[in-house]
Amino acid sequence: MGEVPPLVARLEAEARRVETPCGKGNMAWRLWGEGPPLVLLHGGAGSWRHWARNIGALARGRLVLAADLPGLGDSDLPPPPTTPEGVTQVLSAGLDALLGPGTRFDLMGFSFGAVLSGGLAALRDRDLRSLTLVGAGGLGLPRPPVVLEKIRDKQGEERAAAHRANLARLMLADPARIDATALAIQSWNSDHTRINSRSFMPATWLRDTLPGVTAPLNVIYGERDAIAYPQLESRFALIRGIRPDARCRAIPGAGHWVAYEAADAFNRAAAEMLPPGAG
């Protein structure tokens, strides 16, 4: 799992890497394409690599900006104390530096990134063309317990087996879809995680921030998402209670990491739900 998968290597080579201030260091962003900006926020213990199977499709006619969130991937830790408000401010300042104040953009977040997106969207509502939440928690609803294997005390085949087990328990509904690229992404992300997103994120953060968002709202889950199944409809109902106009979609057979496991279906859904790009 030490080798960089060809897909990730190609995307890395094609990206324009830019850094913005974050705590005592910097936050890493990768940019692809041209057109209306689309900002991507990955999941907890993740990196921009969570979007590896989507960037090519999303960047057609758009400028895609994929963050490594503070304390994750190639980004340094946020300024202390770590709070969702503080991380949101780092993101907002970074977008001003990259796009210029007042530039309108679309925002898409996955899992932890979806929860953070609620606060960022409320803060930047006047600049937002749309908000898309993917596999979102932070709604204050019960979630099935998922026990994950510990990684850091394992090496070699034992470590690879633990990564595979965690992908099967939390991220992908069909273990047969856990390929070498998914394992390599999971391994790299785990090795570069220096912050526990759940330790500082309130359980109702997304539910509490969504009322401040007036931009068009899209919601996507995998039908078999481990944090929602079998109560997915209760999540859609709660979101529609806040935003009756929200467009909600479940992608059949897919798990939590729906954008990877069912990339073609996800990319089609995103194309239908997002405002059009350029050209």
Side-chain angles (χ1 to χ4, degrees), residues 48-69:
W48 71 268
R49 290 162 173 79
H50 273 162
W51 305 103
R53 298 189 69 193
N54 319 110
I55 288 166
L58 294 172
R60 293 178 192 138
R62 293 186 182 86
L63 170 63
V64 168
L65 304 92
D68 275 359
L69 291 168

Side-chain angles (χ1 to χ4, degrees), residues 41-108:
L41 305 184
H42 61 77
S47 71
W48 71 268
R49 290 162 173 79
H50 273 162
W51 305 103
R53 298 189 69 193
N54 319 110
I55 288 166
L58 294 172
R60 293 178 192 138
R62 293 186 182 86
L63 170 63
V64 168
L65 304 92
D68 275 359
L69 291 168
L72 300 169
D74 288 326
S75 292
D76 292 309
L77 291 169
T82 304
T83 64
E85 294 87 354
V87 173
T88 299
Q89 289 291 343
V90 170
L91 288 168
S92 183
L95 289 175
D96 279 346
L98 293 171
L99 300 176
T103 300
R104 302 201 72 211
F105 63 93
D106 298 293
L107 177 61
M108 179 181 289

Side-chain angles (χ1 to χ4, degrees), residues 1-9 45-50 52 151 159-164 167 172 177-192 257 260:
M1 290 189 295
E3 295 184 4
V4 179
L7 173 61
V8 174
S47 71
W48 71 268
R49 290 162 173 79
H50 273 162
I151 299 296
R159 189 180 182 93
H163 280 309
R164 182 177 290 276
L167 282 167
L172 278 70
R177 295 174 180 161
I178 302 174
D179 58 11
T181 299
L183 280 167
I185 290 173
Q186 179 82 355
S187 176
W188 192 95
N189 287 347
S190 175
D191 289 346
H192 290 77
W257 192 8
Y260 186 92

